[in-house]
Amino acid sequence: MFSRLPAFFAALLIFLALPIFATEPAPDFTLPTFPDNIEINLKDFKGRVVYLDFWATWCPPCRKSFPWMDEIHERYKDEGLSIIAVTLDKKREQIEQFIKKTEPAFIIAHDPTGRVAKTYQLRAMPTTYLIDRNGHLVMTHTGFRSIDKERLETIIQEQLEK
Amino acid sequence: MQLKKRRQDPRNIRHQLAAATCGLLAGSSHASSLIASGDNWKIDSALLIYAEKDRVSLAEGVLSISKEIDDDEFINARIVTDVLTGSSPNGAVPSSTAQTFTNPSGNSTYTEAANSTPLNHTFKDLRNALNVEWDTPLSRSLRGTLGGNISREYDYLSTGISASLAQDINQRHTTLTVGLSVNKDTWDPVGGVPVGFAVMPTYPAKKALDGANADKTVKEILLGVTQIINRQTLMQINYSRGQGSGYLTDPYKILSVLENDGSGNLRSTNPYIYENRPDQRTYQSLYWKGVHQFPNENVLNLSYRYFWDDWGIQSHTVDLRYRFDFDGGHYLQPHLRYYQQAAADFYRQTLTDSEETTLSYASADYRLGEFVTQTIGLKYGFEFKNGAEINFRAEMITQKGKDRRADAVGLLQNQQLFPDNEAYLLQGGLSLDSDMLIKYIMRFFK
Amino acid sequence: MIKTLLFSTFISLVLSACSLEPVQPWDRDLLAQQKMQLVADPLEIYLDEHTYFSKEASSGGQGVGGGGCGCN
C-alpha cells in the first residue's frame, strides 16, 4: 500500500498544478516607449494586470478602440491595471499625428519591425492579450467591435479582483 | 517637390467589387481616406464635362454618401444626374449630295449636307440615377454586399439588383469573390419601336411600329480572385459572363441601302432602313489588374481586359495609371488607356438593295465597328491634413475607326465612312465628411 | 508605341507575381493605403466606365451589374 503513495502524491500535485498549465506565461519583451524611447520590460509589470494591445494608425478598428482604452485606463489604473498599446506603425510621423489627436493617458510602445508581435503569434490587427498579476496570458482577443467592450471589461475586472 | 510625406489615409484591405457600365459601382462606396464612422457621413462628389468635337456633349454630376451603421457595416447611396446635348451619327453614310431624314417622332425632318456624316440631333436628354448599397461582414472572413439601382431618362428606364460575396482565405492573402446581377430595362423611344429593317418613311408617313416600348434583361455573373503578392503588390483576376435578352437594338439607328449596281448611289426609293440586332447576346471577359508601390512611394496601377461575345465582337483594353506623390499632400497621376475592338459579325456600314430580305441582322452603329480608342490624361490631387481631398483631371480621347472596304462601294470610296472622333474630358472631385461640411457651412455663415 | 509600352509593363508585372511572399498582418500598412486599393477612386472609375460604355461595345470586367442607360 505504501508503495502507491508516491504515485498518489504525484497525481495530486499534477491535479493541483492543472490550473497553472491552463495558462502559459506571457513571453517577456523589451520595447521602447513612444515618443520618449524609454525601455520597458513586461516583467517589470508583475503584480499588475496588463492589457497588451497591438495596433497601428492604418487600422480603423485599432483607432476606434482608443477612446475606450482611455476610459478603461481611467477607471482601473488605481486598481492595478496597466495598458501597454504597442504600435506596429513603421512611420513615426503617423504615430505622432495620431497621438496628438487622441492624447492617450496609457503607455504607447513602438514595435516597427513586428518583433514582439511575432513572439505573440499575432494573426490580425488589432489583437489584445490580457496578462494576469502572475505574468500569465489569460486571454487573447482579435478585432475590436462595439459589442466586445462589455465582455472585455468584465474579464479585466475579474483579473483585477484576483 | 521631392519628398512624399504621407497623409493619413488608413484603410483595412477592401477587396472591392466595382461595377462597370452605366449604372452600378458596387462594394467600393466606402473605400476612401475618410472613414464614415460614428455619426460621421463620408461624402464624395464629382463633376464631369465630356465633349466630342462636333458631336455629343455631356455634363454629369455625382454625389456619393456613405455611413458606417455598425462595426464594419456600411450603407451607401449614389445619385447621378447627367445632361446630354449635341448630335451623334444616325448610322447612314455620307453622300455626295445632301440627305434628308425623318426625325424619330415622325413629325419633322432634318438635313445633312453633302459629304458629311449624317448626325441625329440628340434631343436634350436628362438622366437621373440612384444606386444604393449595403455592405456587411457575414463572418470573420466573409463579406456580403447587396445593391439596387434605378436610372431614368425620358426614353429609357433601367432597374436592377446585385449581390456579391467576398471570402478571405489563406491568412487573408487571398480573397475569392462571386457576384451576380440582374437588370431589367425598358425602351420607350420617341415615335415608338420601329420594326427591324423597316424603312425610314418619307415625312409625313410614319414608320412601321413594333409596339410603343420594348424590354431588355441583362444578367451577369463574376468570379474573381484577389491575391496579395508581397507587401507592395496586389493583383486581381476576374472572369465575367453576361447575358442580354430582349430588345437589344438601337431604335434610332438606320443603315444606308445602296443600289445593287456597284455605283455607291443610294437606292432611289426608301434608301434608309432601321437596324436590327439579335435578341440574345452572351458576352464574357477576363480581367486582370495589378497595383504596385515602388520604394519612392509612387503607385502603378495596370489592368488588362479581354472581352468577347457571340456577336463576333472581341476587344482588348489596357489601362495604366501611375501616381507620383509629392511633399505636402499633392499628387499627379498620368493615365493611358488603349482600346481595340473587332467588329460585330453583323456590322455593316452600308447594305445593298434587297439585302434586308436575306440578312437576319445588320447595324451601322459605329460602336459595333472596328476601331481603336486611345486615351491620355492627367490627374492632379491634393489631400488635406484632415483627410479631405480635392482633385482634377483632364483627358483626351481619340477614336480611330476603320472603314469597311466591302461597304465602300463606288462613289463611297471618296467618303469617310468611319470618321475619327475626338473628345476631351474634364473632371473635378471633392471628398470630405459631414463633420467638415458642417464646420465649413457654419464658418461661411458667421 | 503606346501599345508596346503598355504590353511590356504588363508582362514585367505579371512576372513579378511569380514571387509570392507571405505578408504579416503588421506589414499590411502599404496595402491599407487608399491609393493601393484596386479601386482607389470609385467615382473616377464609375465616370470612366460610363463614358466608355456609351462609346464602345465592351463593358465591365471589374464588377457586376449596371446597365442603366439608353446610351448603348
Side-chain angles (χ1 to χ4, degrees):
Chain A
M1 189 180 72
F2 284 112
S3 59
R4 292 224 193 99
L5 219 57
F8 171 75
F9 274 113
L12 186 66
L13 268 170
I14 292 167
F15 176 76
L16 291 172
L18 272 170
I20 307 171
F21 286 160
T23 61
E24 344 127 353
D28 190 24
F29 61 81
T30 305
L31 281 176
T33 60
F34 189 94
D36 306 320
N37 267 325
I38 299 165
E39 281 214 341
I40 56 164
N41 303 296
L42 180 64
K43 61 180 195 275
D44 298 337
F45 289 83
K46 217 165 194 160
R48 292 182 71 82
V49 173
V50 179
Y51 185 91
L52 180 64
D53 182 78
F54 287 87
W55 64 283
T57 57
W58 45 262
C59 152
C62 304
R63 294 202 307 275
K64 277 198 236 167
S65 69
F66 261 61
W68 178 80
M69 285 202 285
D70 242 343
E71 257 178 65
I72 297 296
H73 173 76
E74 192 51 47
R75 216 173 285 167
Y76 301 107
K77 64 179 194 257
D78 298 325
E79 290 179 42
L81 179 71
S82 284
I83 299 180
I84 304 175
V86 182
T87 170
L88 294 156
D89 276 278
K90 299 188 202 296
K91 296 201 166 164
R92 293 188 72 90
E93 187 202 288
Q94 285 179 348
I95 311 170
E96 275 163 18
Q97 261 178 43
F98 185 69
I99 301 287
K100 201 158 72 161
K101 231 190 331 185
T102 54
E103 295 176 326
F106 44 86
I107 300 165
I108 307 288
H110 194 196
D111 181 15
T113 59
R115 173 178 51 88
V116 178
K118 206 164 187 175
T119 317
Y120 275 79
Q121 300 176 339
L122 193 100
R123 289 270 172 270
M125 309 266 296
T127 302
T128 305
Y129 303 90
L130 195 63
I131 300 158
D132 71 10
R133 297 185 194 269
N134 298 315
H136 289 118
L137 188 60
V138 296
M139 179 204 75
T140 304
H141 177 86
T142 52
F144 184 80
R145 290 169 295 276
S146 15
I147 47 167
D148 298 333
K149 293 182 194 175
E150 218 181 282
R151 190 179 141 260
L152 287 171
E153 190 166 350
T154 312
I155 298 173
I156 291 169
Q157 283 169 337
E158 272 173 28
Q159 289 304 319
L160 287 170
E161 276 154 27
K162 287 211 177 136
Chain B
M1 288 244 271
Q2 233 334 76
L3 291 176
K4 290 114 201 137
K5 274 202 176 156
R6 221 35 356 259
R7 285 288 176 212
Q8 188 86 309
D9 58 5
R11 283 291 314 171
N12 270 333
I13 295 158
R14 225 10 127 227
H15 303 287
Q16 293 122 9
L17 201 71
T21 75
C22 279
L24 192 61
L25 200 70
S28 55
S29 46
H30 40 272
S32 153
S33 341
L34 302 162
I35 308 301
S37 63
D39 293 317
N40 211 3
W41 298 75
K42 188 177 65 72
I43 303 161
D44 291 300
S45 59
L47 262 172
L48 173 93
I49 294 179
Y50 170 84
E52 290 172 348
K53 198 170 113 183
D54 303 329
R55 302 243 188 112
V56 156
S57 292
L58 169 80
E60 186 164 2
V62 191
L63 182 67
S64 174
I65 301 173
S66 292
K67 185 168 193 337
E68 189 170 5
I69 53 178
D70 200 353
D71 285 301
D72 230 17
E73 185 179 333
F74 298 86
I75 50 160
N76 169 264
R78 187 184 65 210
I79 306 162
V80 180
T81 300
D82 66 52
V83 180
L84 200 72
T85 55
S87 44
S88 56
N90 64 13
V93 292
S95 165
S96 49
T97 56
Q99 302 180 75
T100 303
F101 305 96
T102 311
N103 263 322
S105 62
N107 297 331
S108 56
T109 61
Y110 60 96
T111 311
E112 191 62 52
N115 305 316
S116 80
T117 308
L119 301 173
N120 188 349
H121 301 277
T122 319
F123 334 95
K124 204 169 176 174
D125 195 355
L126 178 74
R127 183 178 82 100
N128 290 306
L130 171 68
N131 178 57
V132 290
E133 201 176 278
W134 175 51
D135 184 18
T136 184
L138 296 173
S139 82
R140 190 145 277 197
S141 54
L142 182 68
R143 272 200 93 81
T145 308
L146 267 181
N149 61 82
I150 180 164
S151 171
R152 213 186 194 315
E153 295 147 77
Y154 82 99
D155 62 355
Y156 197 91
L157 174 72
S158 173
T159 56
I161 52 167
S162 71
S164 67
L165 288 172
Q167 173 76 54
D168 283 342
I169 58 167
N170 192 16
Q171 281 170 4
R172 293 183 182 269
H173 282 86
T174 313
T175 305
L176 304 175
T177 36
V178 59
L180 287 167
S181 74
V182 180
N183 258 273
K184 277 195 152 50
D185 298 356
T186 306
W187 265 111
D188 196 1
V190 175
V193 179
V195 171
F197 287 163
V199 301
M200 173 183 259
T202 318
Y203 173 76
K206 299 277 192 219
K207 63 195 174 202
L209 289 185
D210 190 9
N213 46 49
D215 293 333
K216 161 177 152 185
T217 305
V218 181
K219 298 177 190 160
E220 283 184 7
I221 182 169
L222 176 145
L223 298 168
V225 180
T226 307
Q227 176 71 39
I228 292 176
I229 306 297
N230 55 40
R231 185 173 159 244
Q232 300 88 0
T233 317
L234 183 66
M235 288 190 191
Q236 181 180 67
I237 298 183
N238 294 332
Y239 165 73
S240 302
R241 190 189 167 90
Q243 189 156 51
S245 55
Y247 187 73
L248 307 178
T249 304
D250 187 321
Y252 302 126
K253 298 258 187 287
I254 57 177
L255 288 127
S256 299
V257 186
L258 311 174
E259 281 302 355
N260 216 340
D261 57 7
S263 61
N265 287 324
L266 290 168
R267 186 168 68 185
S268 44
T269 50
N270 299 319
Y272 312 113
I273 61 168
Y274 289 98
E275 66 160 47
N276 193 36
R277 301 187 202 185
D279 59 6
Q280 286 270 3
R281 182 189 186 196
T282 303
Y283 54 93
Q284 300 171 79
S285 70
L286 271 175
Y287 175 86
W288 172 90
K289 182 176 216 169
V291 183
H292 176 78
Q293 181 165 159
F294 294 94
N296 56 19
E297 295 184 25
N298 294 343
V299 178
L300 170 70
N301 192 308
L302 179 64
S303 69
Y304 167 72
R305 173 188 65 188
Y306 175 60
F307 176 100
W308 72 103
D309 71 5
D310 61 0
W311 283 6
I313 294 167
Q314 277 177 74
S315 72
H316 302 275
T317 314
V318 184
D319 196 296
L320 181 136
R321 286 173 160 95
Y322 188 83
R323 175 170 159 149
F324 292 93
D325 274 302
F326 300 102
D327 203 2
H330 305 269
Y331 70 86
L332 270 181
Q333 184 178 272
H335 175 219
L336 286 177
R337 181 182 185 270
Y338 179 83
Y339 177 85
Q340 181 183 300
Q341 174 176 301
D345 295 330
F346 55 83
Y347 172 72
R348 294 288 300 270
Q349 289 177 325
T350 59
L351 292 182
T352 49
D353 190 18
S354 81
E355 268 195 294
E356 70 264 46
T357 56
T358 55
L359 290 173
S360 306
Y361 316 110
S363 170
D365 189 344
Y366 73 92
R367 293 173 302 195
L368 297 180
E370 189 179 337
F371 61 83
V372 166
T373 310
Q374 292 184 94
T375 306
I376 182 162
L378 186 65
K379 180 179 181 183
Y380 162 75
F382 175 69
E383 291 170 1
F384 293 84
K385 265 204 168 75
N386 58 18
E389 178 175 321
I390 191 166
N391 55 59
F392 300 99
R393 81 181 167 119
E395 312 229 313
M396 274 282 301
I397 305 168
T398 312
Q399 194 172 60
K400 287 186 155 76
K402 205 155 164 210
D403 286 358
R404 209 164 169 278
R405 288 288 93 220
D407 294 333
V409 176
L411 276 180
L412 288 179
Q413 285 165 1
N414 303 330
Q415 300 290 352
Q416 253 277 40
L417 297 191
F418 200 146
D420 293 351
N421 192 9
E422 257 173 45
Y424 67 80
L425 184 152
L426 297 172
Q427 180 192 323
L430 175 66
S431 296
L432 42 75
D433 62 39
S434 51
D435 283 348
M436 291 174 207
L437 188 63
I438 293 166
K439 229 187 284 176
Y440 295 144
I441 294 172
M442 303 261 274
R443 209 183 292 170
F444 186 77
F445 283 111
K446 274 233 155 81
Chain C
M1 215 317 256
I2 294 174
K3 209 173 166 180
T4 329
L5 179 73
L6 290 172
F7 280 124
S8 45
T9 318
F10 165 71
I11 296 295
S12 43
L13 217 77
V14 170
L15 288 175
S16 77
C18 299
S19 56
L20 286 179
E21 308 162 12
V23 182
Q24 300 288 7
W26 54 89
D27 284 334
R28 303 215 177 177
D29 53 332
L30 298 182
L31 295 167
Q33 292 170 332
Q34 184 53 38
K35 62 181 183 176
M36 287 295 288
Q37 303 310 302
L38 290 164
V39 179
D41 189 339
L43 291 199
E44 181 186 342
I45 299 302
Y46 164 74
L47 289 167
D48 257 9
E49 293 286 331
H50 179 203
T51 304
Y52 295 114
F53 174 77
S54 342
K55 298 288 135 198
E56 296 166 353
S58 318
S59 61
Q62 285 191 85
V64 283
C69 70
C71 49
N72 195 329

